[in-house]
Amino acid sequence: MPATIVYAYKGRNAAGKVVKGRLDAASESVAMTRLRTMGLAPISVDEVTLGTGLSREISIPGFAKHPGLKDLAVMSRQLATMTSAGLSLLRTLNILSMQTENKELAKILTSVRNDVETGVSLSGAMVKHANVFPPIMINLIRAGETGGFLENSLNSVAENFESEGKLRDTIKSAMAYPTIVLIMAVVAVIGMLTFIVPVFEKMFAGFGGQLPLPTQILVVLSQVMVWLLPLLVLGGIVFSVWWRKNKNTEVVRKALDPIKLKLPVFGPLMTKLAIARFSRNFSTMIGAGVPILQSLSIVGETSGNWVVESALRKVQESVRHGMSIAGPLSLEPVFPPMVVQMIAVGEDAGALQTMLGKIADFYDQEVQSTAEQLTALIEPLMIAFIGIVIGGMIVALYMPMFSIFEYIK
């Protein structure tokens, strides 16, 4: 494929308004043709020389906003709407690349548009950007292209991502309060150990006598904090870099994901979230005409938990040998009996997609309810935790003064 050139253009739309912008094209004639497909009458097309300094767009690696689930949901919904309105795929991709707020997604859509223009299918062009477009999205679009119902597939993608986004927002809102409170507690403890305890330590040094054990522990922690705090900050940075690179590796997921499902308070929530995601994705893919074996593989990857993914691999292998889905699924402890029974009824009645949708709706409500209960439970626990920690430190600081009063008497 020839190298593309950036052109700055001016064009007049159907309403007579002058529109300005930039686009990538192999030549000026290709750029003019592309403007016409966008519904613009070209006024001027000039090649842009990308220089340095102020004339060049600054892009800091690692700080570009990665396209999120909401970006993809909006993109899919707009793509389906414009396609159903009769716009060509090339023109639709052009419009989306210009109006999306996420710059990285705009660049990717331009690249997808260029590939589609050369004859590549939409799903084939998206595969090249698998780090942005999830497997479920690519496979649903591929099924729509093959079966001639691309608009329905795109609507399914949008609905799936919108539901997933609501679930994620529910989890984030449930976790926001305890996370903020915990961070404030840690900052308060570090601040007291670093700035307040040394002042009391100097004051206690002139009193003489032996300090109570809790006060001695605070003094030791304060002295250690001088070198421990920089070490903790450095360790946190190193861990965050390592975590970003390795959090999705099978070794890490295999070790941590089973623990997540067994946590006392958050474990049930994580389990319900994984089942809701599995049911919704499976229902969407079956409805789009994706084969069962391929669907099982994809929903396993998108479940978000290694335990569910591992269980679905076993189910997939059993189905490959002619067994039903419910049979091998019943042998996996992560799936509750209700889920297995509803899937079995769906298979027998030929309504598996409907049953999976009902399971997803039920567990969406369960996640919402559990998250609300969790928030209500954590709030008093966190207040009590902070009270015990901060209050304990204050009492430990004032204990030597009580001893002094006893000596005076």
Side-chain angles (χ1 to χ4, degrees), residues 54-75:
L54 296 177
S55 64
R56 187 170 184 172
E57 183 179 350
I58 298 174
S59 178
I60 304 175
F63 285 87
K65 185 182 177 184
H66 191 76
L69 207 59
K70 290 184 179 179
D71 297 317
L72 297 179
V74 171
M75 186 205 82

Side-chain angles (χ1 to χ4, degrees), residues 152-173:
N152 293 337
S153 293
L154 289 168
N155 280 322
S156 296
V157 171
E159 290 169 5
N160 186 282
F161 286 172
E162 285 164 359
S163 299
E164 180 71 13
K166 289 179 182 177
L167 270 184
R168 289 190 180 184
D169 290 342
T170 300
I171 300 301
K172 286 180 181 178
S173 63

